Amino acid sequence: MNFDALRQQIKKQTDESLLTLIESLPDHAPRLKAAMQHALLVGGKRMRPVLTHLIGNALDVPKQDQNVISMAIECIHAYSLVHDDLPAMDDDALRRGQPTCHVKFDEATAILAGDALQTLAFSILTEQPVSEQSAPHRAKLVSILATASGYQGMCGGQAIDLATTGNSIDVDALTRLHQLKTGALLSACAQMITQVADISESDRQHFITFSRIIGLAFQVQDDILDVEGDAQMLGKPQGSDQALGKNTFPALLGMEQAKQVLNDLHAEALQALASLPYNTEYLTAFTDLMVNRNH
């Protein structure tokens, strides 16, 4: 199977699993349930599940376990987008070419949908069936995802982003911001799937290093696309970061140097993969996709 076909297969499987999960919820709050489904299943590239499955495949982690970890991560990712789009945050009306959750429903429902998706992620990790290989690691998986999602990860990064919007910061501070806001959850993909794999600690750290590099590269490319990308492809207005006074790599370094940073991160990610004694062909293709994507 070629990489694009595998990527679409993983996306389809993740979407179907998430839809089944949402549909299985009781119907006592139908508007909230519909908002959760909208946030989870309207569009989305599923980059985090793809990364999780590609590492899991390379390490022979059971497919069932890969899917459970992917579902939990996507619930956290979806919740973060719902809250990021709120008027008190980035105040966005479009996400993935569709009305954002608070626009389609209302602000209170969007807040509750984000809250419910966040808690659902941890229910998935503690309750969904996994293999005997992974079952003893449930508590550690919860810990990894909680750390990546909270003050020491995504929420901390978002707080820095909000605090520095409209104020100039240096490259080190911007890198730290993105390592937390975007990179932490991508890194959690590698941390969680390698937690349940039978590999050495050294190899595990190489996978985690790779995921951290690619997480930063993902954000640098996001910054570049906000300036040069096509609004229809992006599914949101072009130049939205600039309009909000966000700190970005092109704004701080200029476009040429921002692209050089992206190229350097691309090379570093490939170097991290080259040190691993596994078949990383698909992970190489994933790396190329992350830095060359147009949306």
Side-chain angles (χ1 to χ4, degrees), residues 152-173:
Q152 296 182 72
M154 191 175 62
C155 287
Q158 176 71 349
I160 297 169
D161 191 11
L162 291 170
T164 58
T165 295
N167 302 310
S168 183
I169 59 176
D170 63 24
V171 175
D172 288 343

Side-chain angles (χ1 to χ4, degrees), residues 6-278:
L6 178 59
R7 183 164 62 95
Q8 290 306 316
Q9 183 188 76
I10 293 167
K11 182 184 185 307
K12 183 174 183 287
Q13 179 185 342
T14 304
D15 288 349
E16 289 173 352
S17 298
L18 289 170
L19 179 60
T20 299
L21 181 66
I22 295 296
E23 288 180 338
S24 72
L25 295 173
D27 290 322
H28 55 259
R31 187 171 176 83
L32 173 58
K33 184 173 173 178
M36 293 167 69
Q37 182 169 325
H38 177 79
L40 263 179
L41 291 158
V42 175
K45 297 180 287 293
R46 306 299 183 208
M47 290 294 196
R48 291 154 191 82
V50 171
L51 176 58
T52 301
H53 280 270
L54 293 182
I55 296 175
N57 288 346
L59 301 177
D60 293 325
V61 174
K63 290 287 193 293
Q64 179 183 31
D65 303 345
Q66 297 180 31
N67 198 40
V68 167
I69 290 170
S70 295
M71 289 166 65
I73 288 170
E74 279 302 282
C75 284
I76 292 291
H77 179 53
Y79 123 72
S80 75
L81 298 182
V82 171
H83 281 193
D84 280 2
D85 291 336
L86 289 168
M89 297 276 202
D90 291 346
D91 196 14
D92 279 322
L94 280 178
R95 169 73 65 180
R96 298 162 173 165
Q98 299 292 325
T100 48
C101 203
H102 69 275
V103 171
K104 184 171 177 65
F105 296 90
D106 56 75
E107 196 171 338
T109 301
I111 292 169
L112 288 174
D115 292 343
L117 287 169
Q118 183 193 47
T119 53
L120 182 60
F122 298 107
S123 295
I124 290 167
L125 290 179
T126 54
E127 296 171 8
Q128 288 289 310
V130 294
S131 69
E132 290 184 7
Q133 174 180 325
S134 294
H137 298 281
R138 285 189 193 268
K140 184 61 178 176
L141 295 177
V142 168
S143 175
I144 292 168
L145 190 56
T147 300
S149 307
Y151 182 85
Q152 296 182 72
M154 191 175 62
C155 287
Q158 176 71 349
I160 297 169
D161 191 11
L162 291 170
T164 58
T165 295
N167 302 310
S168 183
I169 59 176
D170 63 24
V171 175
D172 288 343
L174 182 60
T175 299
R176 176 65 174 161
L177 186 166
H178 288 316
Q179 283 173 335
L180 294 173
K181 183 179 177 182
T182 305
L185 205 54
L186 280 158
S187 176
C189 298
Q191 292 180 59
M192 293 170 78
I193 198 68
T194 57
Q195 177 67 36
V196 301
D198 183 19
I199 59 170
S200 70
E201 184 58 28
S202 173
D203 287 348
R204 181 169 187 261
Q205 290 306 319
H206 280 302
F207 275 113
I208 294 169
T209 297
F210 162 75
S211 68
R212 286 176 177 153
I213 296 166
I214 207 65
L216 183 57
F218 180 88
Q219 186 59 52
V220 175
Q221 178 66 347
D222 244 22
D223 288 355
I224 291 168
L225 288 173
D226 186 68
V227 178
E228 296 187 345
D230 178 85
Q232 192 169 353
M233 290 293 292
L234 295 174
K236 61 180 182 179
Q238 184 193 28
S240 57
D241 290 342
Q242 185 178 2
L244 290 166
K246 296 280 187 183
N247 286 284
T248 68
F249 282 90
L252 209 59
L253 302 173
M255 184 57 74
E256 186 177 343
Q257 196 172 344
K259 288 182 177 179
Q260 185 57 55
V261 168
L262 181 62
N263 289 336
D264 291 345
L265 289 169
H266 190 185
E268 286 179 39
L270 295 178
Q271 186 176 3
L273 288 178
S275 64
L276 287 161
Y278 302 98

